[in-house]
Amino acid sequence: MNTGYFAGSFLAGLIIPHRASHASVALFGAVGATLGLASLSFIQHPFVAHPAALLAGLCFGASNLASLVALNATVAAKKRATFVGFASCGTSVGTMLLPHFYTLLTEAMDWRWAMRINAAVSVVFLTAAAPFFRVETAGGLLASPTSRQGQVGPNLGIQEVLRDRRFLCWWLNMFVCFLGFYLPPTLLAEFAKNELHLSANLTAVCYSLIGISGLFTRLSLGCLTHLLGGPRRLFFTAQLLVGALACCLPFCRRAESLLVWSAVYGSSLGPIIALVSVVLSELFGTKDLALYHGCSRTGVGVGNLLGVPLLSLLAEQQGFTVALILSGALVSCSTVFLIVLELLHRKKQRDEVQEGRC
């Protein structure tokens, strides 16, 4: 399902908005995700679950990308971080509450009925939200950040996106960053049990702290963006902190220090996921944001698919310290690509100013 999610985002990026509207893709995603989840409730063999899970992942990814792109396209640039921060709070709340709800539901009924109810709830909310993702544009096109007032550039293809050196730096940053990004949450439970000998309940508290602190960061995303001087600066700072905190996890030797680490780590995580679409819209505009965002998620997906298994294997062979420090180094060191990106972007802005004077 995770693989399908990133693939669905990429496919949605190829067709929005020039071949299908944001609302149409979101509606299609709602129906497809529901079919995938409902199909899972009828499986009799594990191998049959793979196509259903892939369908659900593809459609969830497409629906999510359509909603984020539509939100960025319809909100003023100065307010995007605030609106996206609030919108992404739904993910945080759902991650904290829904697992407990569906666990109780599974115990009261069974997992098949829990999956069917999940599918029914998903189609209701996703279908109801889809009409709100309509993007009104002048002449059917969205504005580019570098276009003059009343003018729009030609629609970009994937070749033009991949030839943009700024986007290449962004993609490499996402790929290298997400090689190590998800390892600390993945290994946290095992680390707490094997290294600190903590109970499962206390480990659950650590995960809850990560979710709660991340939620508060997303609620204040607009204020934080303003204080740090823009979404790119906040994204850069958060990525550095997440990498540094991943390196610190092996040195938490008591329950108290692990709880503090979880709260600070969760606070740093919030801006990274939430600000991706905002940073991309600031760099490349909203006209082709779906394509840029879809291609960006391929870097996230490939990094995640390679990084977690390889670094988990390293943790088994060399221990938690080596794997976690390496994961943190990957996250922090990948900011080098962001620095190069910033230099290229400023050069592009200077060149456009000079062209405008001529």
Side-chain angles (χ1 to χ4, degrees), residues 35-340:
L35 290 175
L37 292 176
S39 300
L40 285 172
S41 68
F42 294 100
I43 63 169
Q44 300 297 329
H45 195 280
F47 289 106
V48 184
H50 295 160
L54 180 61
L55 174 63
L58 282 168
C59 295
F60 273 128
S63 181
N64 177 264
L65 183 127
S67 63
L68 279 176
V69 172
L71 180 60
N72 279 276
T74 54
V75 173
K78 291 183 178 180
K79 298 181 179 179
R80 283 175 190 156
T82 301
F83 276 75
V84 172
F86 277 107
S88 62
C89 287
T91 304
S92 299
V93 174
T95 302
M96 289 186 290
L97 299 182
L98 289 182
H100 302 286
F101 170 74
Y102 284 115
T103 298
L104 295 174
L105 192 63
T106 302
E107 293 174 354
M109 306 173 74
D110 62 51
W111 72 269
R112 294 184 186 276
W113 274 107
M115 189 65 70
R116 291 164 192 163
I117 293 173
N118 186 12
V121 172
S122 297
V123 72
V124 169
F125 282 97
L126 292 178
T127 303
F132 294 97
F133 301 147
R134 291 175 180 166
V135 179
E136 300 294 335
T137 60
L141 292 175
L142 296 173
S144 167
T146 57
S147 62
R148 298 179 185 177
Q149 188 174 2
Q151 297 179 343
V152 292
N155 299 333
L156 293 183
I158 191 171
Q159 297 87 353
E160 288 82 0
V161 171
L162 297 179
R163 282 199 293 263
D164 190 329
R165 291 183 298 168
R166 296 176 303 152
F167 183 75
L168 178 60
C169 289
W170 173 264
W171 192 93
L172 288 173
N173 170 69
M174 300 305 284
F175 170 68
V176 177
C177 173
F178 280 86
L179 282 172
F181 186 81
Y182 285 115
L183 189 71
T186 302
L187 295 184
L188 178 59
E190 189 177 354
F191 174 79
K193 177 183 177 181
N194 296 342
E195 297 291 319
L196 305 185
H197 308 291
L198 300 181
S199 66
N201 289 334
L202 192 55
T203 302
V205 172
C206 291
Y207 279 110
S208 297
L209 275 175
I210 292 175
I212 293 170
S213 57
L215 174 62
F216 281 112
T217 302
R218 293 183 180 193
L219 286 171
S220 57
L221 200 60
C223 295
L224 292 173
T225 300
H226 177 72
L227 288 174
L228 288 180
R232 299 204 299 274
R233 290 184 180 181
L234 178 57
F235 187 90
F236 179 86
T237 303
Q239 189 169 320
L240 274 178
L241 284 174
V242 168
L245 289 166
C247 295
C248 293
L249 177 56
F251 304 101
C252 295
R253 309 314 302 179
R254 299 178 59 185
E256 294 82 0
S257 60
L258 188 63
L259 291 170
V260 172
W261 178 90
S262 300
V264 179
Y265 181 75
S267 300
S268 303
L269 280 181
I272 293 183
I273 302 298
L275 279 179
V276 169
S277 62
V278 179
V279 173
L280 287 173
S281 66
E282 187 178 68
L283 290 169
F284 306 107
T286 56
K287 185 172 77 70
D288 295 291
L289 178 59
L291 182 57
Y292 280 106
H293 205 345
C295 292
S296 172
R297 284 191 177 180
T298 63
V300 176
V302 174
N304 181 38
L305 290 173
L306 293 177
V308 172
L310 292 176
L311 291 174
S312 296
L313 181 61
L314 181 65
E316 292 179 5
Q317 296 179 347
Q318 301 295 328
F320 291 105
T321 301
V322 174
L324 289 168
I325 289 179
L326 178 58
S327 73
L330 288 169
V331 174
S332 290
C333 292
S334 61
T335 55
V336 171
F337 296 112
L338 292 179
I339 295 173
V340 177

